[in-house]
């Protein structure tokens, strides 16, 4: 029997300031290995089936990484009540991911084995991050970090029975899962293809499309090679051509990881750690001794071009050229996440989006093929909006109005687009959406602005930022 430390050998208290989890999970350099975690997650048959059905990778490859890192920070660094709320949000989110795969097997985002695998791939990414960075964790510190990570998993709802109890048992589990359970299916292919043709992230939206496209062919290929270089050799072989690592890639990866590790020792906390992590770390230290506006309506723009742009950038979340329920489910998911909705409000949000999908199928799907293409949506948009669509926009606007006073103020708006965005930009948005000039944006005005944008009659910087970002 192994004498490796079990979770009970370490403190049962949730990891906080000073823990290894706090030290490593929130660092920006986790980006050097988080790609490995996401690929290995997707290689799990249950997760891969969900990716094939509900993925938005083709259009928004950055979003999965961004949401993963944000959720990790919420689960680890926030106070207990906020951690529990995030865990409940994840359970609700994954509860909407279900279906039947190509082999006729039912899958669910709440599958306990898949949940455990996804959670433990992050532990693997942290250990590899340190190893590649030149500051490897010895067995004792790995065991300590692993015990902490089990507690984080239990907090997020992963059954303890699905996670190996010791570090040694975990290592056997990891190797067996990679060797016997993971696949190189369509979900992984879709993810790796997305890494090879990356759209510009929101922070680089100022770069001209032609310039980014030219750089992307080199950048995307390089990122895919670097991610492949982090994967277990046995799994790289299973990927075939997609898993091949060009000569010199591993040297570049090593240099990048070591540079990130050195920078982490020299730079201030706010640069080394992701925003939420840095905020809580700084707050704990202090206890021990702060966008774009909603675009003004451009009535001079070509309506057809504006509608086509809205269809591609906002509505077609999966990037397959048509609208289907996974597209609208993705929109519901993003709004629910950014507004941090309670369970009952999230269910109402999903129901409102599903009602619009039923309306779209009934009124726009002219050829009855179960999806709505761009031409079918254009015909619909040129007519009067349906009741379900109008009700949906009011539902979204009402959710933004958190205090229920019937108006969208700067605090409400900050929840949607991020409180760190300049207040002057939020004031500019208020002037743009305040159509009657009374100095107040009502829920009705906000809903109308959303509706006009979704119908392609106005350009919304807000929707581009929240829904159109990669």
């Amino acid at each position: 029997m192994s004498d490796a430390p079990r979770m009970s050998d370490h403190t049962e208290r949730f990891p906080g300031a000073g823990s290894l989890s706090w030290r490593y999970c929130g660092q920006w350099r986790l980006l050097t290995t988080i790609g490995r975690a996401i690929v290995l997650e997707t290689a799990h048959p249950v997760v891969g089936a969900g990716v094939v059905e509900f993925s938005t990778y083709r259009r928004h490859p950055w979003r999965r990484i961004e949401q993963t890192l944000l959720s990790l920070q919420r689960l680890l660094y926030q106070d207990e009540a906020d951690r529990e709320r995030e865990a409940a949000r994840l359970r609700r989110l994954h509860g909407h991911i279900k279906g039947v795969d190509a082999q006729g097997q039912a899958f669910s985002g709440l599958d306990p084995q898949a949940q455990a695998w996804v959670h433990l791939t992050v532990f693997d990414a942290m250990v590899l991050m340190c190893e590649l960075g030149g500051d490897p964790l010895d067995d004792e510190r790995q065991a300590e970090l692993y015990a902490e990570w089990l507690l984080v998993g239990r907090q997020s709802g992963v059954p303890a029975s699905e996670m190996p109890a010791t570090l040694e048992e975990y290592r056997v589990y990891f190797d067996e899962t990679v060797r016997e359970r993971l696949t190189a299916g369509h979900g992984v292919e879709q993810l790796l293809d997305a890494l090879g043709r990356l759209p510009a992230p929101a922070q680089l939206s100022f770069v001209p499309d032609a310039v980014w496209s030219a750089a992307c062919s080199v950048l995307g290929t390089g990122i895919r090679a670097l991610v492949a270089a982090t994967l277990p050799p046995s799994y790289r072989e299973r990927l075939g051509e997609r898993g091949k690592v060009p000569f010199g890639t591993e040297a570049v990866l090593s240099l990048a990881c070591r540079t990130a590790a050195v920078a982490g020792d020299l730079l201030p906390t706010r640069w080394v750690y992701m925003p939420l992590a840095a905020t809580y770390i700084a707050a704990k230290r202090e206890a021990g001794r702060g966008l774009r506006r909603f675009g003004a309506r451009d009535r001079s723009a070509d309506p057809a071009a504006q509608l086509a742009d809205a269809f591609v950038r906002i509505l077609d979340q999966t990037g397959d050229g048509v609208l289907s329920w996974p597209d609208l489910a993705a929109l519901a998911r993003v709004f629910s996440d950014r507004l941090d909705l309670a369970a009952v409000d999230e269910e109402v949000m999903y129901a409102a989006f599903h009602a619009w999908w039923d309306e779209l199928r009934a009124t726009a799907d002219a050829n009855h093929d179960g999806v709505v293409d761009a031409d079918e949506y254009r015909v619909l948009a040129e007519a009067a909006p349906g009741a379900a669509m109008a009700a949906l926009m009011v539902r979204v606007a009402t959710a933004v109005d958190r205090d229920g006073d019937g108006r969208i103020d700067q605090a409400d708006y900050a929840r949607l687009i991020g409180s760190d965005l300049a207040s002057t930009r939020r004031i500019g948005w208020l002037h743009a959406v305040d159509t009657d000039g009374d100095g107040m944006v009502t829920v009705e005005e906000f809903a109308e602005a959303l509706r006009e944008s979704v119908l392609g009659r106005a350009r919304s910087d807000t929707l581009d930022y929240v829904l159109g970002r990669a």
Side-chain angles (χ1 to χ4, degrees):
M1 186 71 177
S2 167
D3 59 357
R6 290 184 172 270
M7 187 172 68
S8 58
D9 295 328
H10 297 283
T11 177
E12 287 284 331
R13 188 168 58 185
F14 193 84
S19 67
L20 292 177
S21 296
W22 267 52
R23 177 176 179 181
Y24 292 117
C25 187
Q27 291 189 18
W28 278 116
R29 67 174 175 136
L30 188 62
L31 288 170
T32 60
T33 55
I34 197 65
R36 166 182 165 118
I38 292 178
V39 171
L40 293 181
E41 291 171 10
T42 308
H44 190 285
V46 174
V47 181
V51 166
V52 170
E53 183 67 22
F54 289 91
S55 171
T56 60
Y57 280 141
R58 282 171 293 191
R59 185 67 60 189
H60 306 285
W62 297 107
R63 182 184 293 165
R64 173 66 183 276
I65 295 176
E66 178 186 18
Q67 292 179 339
T68 296
L69 295 177
L70 178 58
S71 184
L72 286 173
Q73 293 174 81
R74 288 171 171 171
L75 286 171
L76 181 60
Y77 294 97
Q78 294 187 136
D79 296 331
E80 183 176 359
D82 291 327
R83 295 198 306 265
E84 291 177 350
R85 185 167 60 214
E86 174 64 10
R89 184 193 70 82
L90 287 175
R91 289 192 291 272
R92 297 194 305 270
L93 184 154
H94 292 133
H96 292 291
I97 300 176
K98 53 190 173 183
V100 178
D101 65 19
Q103 287 71 45
Q105 298 294 316
F107 66 86
S108 168
L110 295 177
D111 180 277
Q113 293 183 353
Q115 287 182 307
W117 175 248
V118 168
H119 180 68
L120 293 177
T121 59
V122 180
F123 169 77
D124 166 73
M126 287 189 287
V127 172
L128 183 62
M129 174 190 77
C130 294
E131 179 182 333
L132 294 176
D135 55 339
L137 302 175
D138 58 25
D139 285 352
E140 182 179 357
R141 290 202 298 165
Q142 282 194 42
E144 181 179 351
L145 177 60
Y146 184 70
E148 293 174 2
W149 206 243
L150 292 181
L151 291 171
V152 177
R154 283 163 47 179
Q155 169 81 63
S156 63
V158 180
S161 60
E162 297 296 338
M163 297 183 290
T166 70
L167 176 65
E168 185 175 279
E169 291 168 357
Y170 156 79
R171 288 170 173 168
V172 174
Y173 157 86
F174 183 87
D175 291 341
E176 289 181 348
T177 302
V178 171
R179 184 174 62 252
E180 301 173 6
R181 185 84 168 114
L182 301 189
T183 68
H186 184 55
V188 174
E189 294 178 359
Q190 186 172 304
L191 170 59
L192 293 175
D193 285 345
L195 292 176
R197 52 175 189 273
L198 295 171
Q203 294 83 351
L204 298 179
S205 59
F206 61 88
V207 177
D209 290 343
V211 175
W212 178 259
S213 297
C216 183
S217 60
V218 177
L219 179 63
T221 301
I223 291 177
R224 183 165 57 187
L226 289 171
V227 170
T230 67
L231 297 174
S234 61
Y235 186 70
R236 287 209 308 256
E237 292 177 5
R238 199 170 311 160
L239 289 175
E241 287 294 323
R242 296 176 187 272
K244 288 186 176 180
V245 178
F247 176 77
T249 301
E250 291 176 336
V252 172
L253 176 65
S254 177
L255 177 61
C257 292
R258 288 177 179 267
T259 300
V262 172
D265 292 334
L266 300 176
L267 297 174
T269 298
R270 67 180 183 277
W271 292 354
V272 174
Y273 288 87
M274 301 170 212
L276 188 62
T279 297
Y280 275 85
I281 290 172
K284 291 295 183 182
R285 287 178 179 171
E286 182 67 22
R289 327 162 250 128
L291 162 87
R292 299 180 175 185
R293 62 182 176 85
F294 195 102
R297 304 184 181 191
D298 184 4
R299 299 295 186 179
S300 65
D302 176 23
Q306 200 159 251
L307 176 60
D309 186 63
F311 187 91
V312 170
R313 292 176 59 84
I314 296 174
L315 297 175
D316 181 16
Q317 291 284 303
T318 60
D320 59 2
V322 295
L323 296 187
S324 60
W325 169 237
D327 292 304
L328 271 62
L331 296 177
R333 189 160 61 245
V334 173
F335 277 119
S336 298
D337 178 45
R338 295 191 71 86
L339 296 173
D340 195 19
L341 298 183
V344 62
D345 295 324
E346 185 174 290
E347 290 298 330
V348 172
M349 181 70 74
Y350 270 88
F353 270 97
H354 206 285
W356 186 33
W357 170 237
D358 289 339
E359 183 178 77
L360 282 173
R361 285 192 302 175
T363 60
D365 183 14
N367 59 3
H368 305 292
D369 61 353
V371 296
V372 176
D373 61 32
D375 289 335
E376 290 172 330
Y377 188 75
R378 177 182 52 79
V379 173
L380 173 73
E382 291 173 350
M389 190 257 198
L392 169 62
M393 298 304 140
V394 172
R395 167 52 50 194
V396 173
T398 301
V400 176
D401 176 27
R402 188 165 194 168
D403 57 9
D405 64 355
R407 56 176 290 181
I408 311 296
D409 58 25
Q410 292 186 50
D412 294 325
Y413 190 58
R415 292 176 56 242
L416 180 63
I417 64 173
S419 59
D420 58 335
L421 298 177
S423 61
T424 53
R425 292 180 178 175
R426 294 201 295 272
I427 293 172
W429 165 80
L430 291 173
H431 287 295
V433 182
D434 179 17
T435 54
D436 60 7
D438 65 353
M440 177 178 67
V441 176
T442 64
V443 166
E444 291 75 17
E445 286 174 324
F446 187 80
E448 180 188 1
L450 291 178
R451 184 170 60 249
E452 292 291 285
S453 300
V454 170
L455 292 173
R457 299 170 184 171
R459 176 66 179 267
S460 167
D461 286 350
T462 295
L463 290 187
D464 282 352
Y465 182 80
V466 174
L467 302 174
R469 294 183 304 159

